Amino acid sequence: MSPNSQPAAAPPPPAEALRVLSFDMARGERFGEHEHDVHQLVWTPAGVLTVDVGDHSWVLPPSLALWIPAGVPHATGATRPSQMRSVYVAPDRCPVRWAQPTVVAVGPLLRELVIHLADPDLAPDPKSRAEAVLFDLLRPVGVMTIELPMPADVRALRVAQALLARPADPRPLEAWGREVGASARTLARLFAAETGMSFGRWRTRARLRAGLEHMAANRPLAAVAHHVGYTTPSSFIAAFRQETGRTPGAYFAVPQQRRP
């Protein structure tokens, strides 16, 4: 499979509500923007996935999955070697009615159900029972993800792309303005109008998103904080908690779920 090829949607057979397929993804591999006629639950049991929908992006460690409704264009990538488990769900047999991409927590039971349902030899009756439990476990997670919309103006976009490449760069807007040919006031206005947040908050999110990807690779927290521009781990943790509602450790923790 080429780095930019798109996985087939593989809709379930008429008598089944869902089908699970696995895709091995190398670091940096990406499925370009595409859409499916079926709903999709994107999850990795090992690794880190990113999913982009329009200007929004989600970083998914094994403790989180993303529900993508049918017909929503999206692109999926891997920031490290990963195995994507895609659960494709027939809309007419699905009790979940979410109209927008929705993050769900993946606890031990949901994890094992996805693996169980991937078995091609699973008989129809056990499969139907497992599907019903899986749907019951799909509940929105009470945590914000680190979304990072990009500006459209070419000058602001150059700044954004430079910060994604080097998130620890401390230069203020005045210095960036001299580099891209715009005043600090113009850049501040562009970031606010085109990303919905101030330049300072956008840079904070860029740093936290980069940090999330490094933490998923099991780098020490102190090294991660320094790499993305924070002088101490505590300052990184405080910023991370303010944006996501959780500490980095809690963000990666696998929630405990009970069968309903």
Side-chain angles (χ1 to χ4, degrees):
M1 183 177 294
S2 66
N4 293 314
S5 63
Q6 300 174 6
E16 300 178 5
L18 60 82
R19 170 172 287 181
V20 181
L21 294 181
S22 298
F23 304 91
D24 291 325
M25 301 182 69
R27 179 178 181 179
E29 186 172 0
R30 182 175 176 83
F31 298 127
E33 187 173 270
H34 60 286
E35 61 185 76
H36 305 300
D37 294 332
V38 294
H39 303 315
Q40 182 183 14
L41 183 70
V42 179
W43 172 65
T44 177
V48 181
L49 299 177
T50 61
V51 181
D52 299 318
V53 178
D55 290 334
H56 299 282
S57 181
W58 290 265
V59 179
L60 304 173
S63 57
L64 298 174
L66 184 69
W67 178 269
I68 305 173
V72 173
H74 59 281
T76 307
T79 64
R80 56 180 297 198
S82 307
Q83 184 183 70
M84 181 172 70
R85 291 287 177 100
S86 282
V87 182
Y88 297 107
V89 185
D92 61 346
R93 297 179 61 84
C94 179
V96 178
R97 303 300 181 192
W98 298 329
Q100 301 297 328
T102 302
V103 178
V104 299
V106 180
L109 181 52
L110 181 54
R111 175 189 180 96
E112 293 305 318
L113 275 171
V114 172
I115 295 172
H116 179 61
L117 285 164
D119 181 358
D121 297 323
L122 190 60
D125 286 347
K127 187 175 191 297
S128 179
R129 292 192 293 269
E131 289 172 350
V133 177
L134 182 140
F135 289 135
D136 284 341
L137 293 175
L138 296 182
R139 298 167 186 166
V141 67
V143 61
M144 291 179 60
T145 54
I146 302 173
E147 299 179 19
L148 199 65
M150 297 291 283
D153 182 272
V154 65
R155 296 162 296 178
L157 181 61
R158 283 180 58 192
V159 176
Q161 291 172 333
L163 285 171
L164 289 178
R166 298 185 60 187
D169 193 321
R171 284 180 288 174
L173 273 179
E174 289 79 5
W176 284 114
R178 289 192 292 271
E179 181 167 318
V180 302
S183 68
R185 178 176 295 181
T186 295
L187 287 177
R189 176 180 56 79
L190 288 170
F191 268 90
E194 297 181 355
T195 72
M197 65 188 79
S198 69
F199 169 74
R201 188 174 186 192
W202 191 96
R203 177 161 59 183
T204 294
R205 287 195 175 188
R207 289 176 170 179
L208 296 179
R209 180 176 170 182
L212 188 63
E213 295 173 1
H214 285 285
M215 286 186 294
N218 296 318
R219 293 191 63 186
L221 185 59
V224 172
H226 178 74
H227 180 78
V228 300
Y230 288 89
T231 56
T232 64
S234 60
S235 60
F236 174 80
I237 292 171
F240 192 95
R241 187 167 192 167
Q242 183 174 358
E243 286 293 335
T244 69
R246 293 187 181 185
T247 64
Y251 190 93
F252 280 94
V254 177
Q256 299 299 310
Q257 290 175 312
R258 297 179 180 179
R259 183 168 179 161

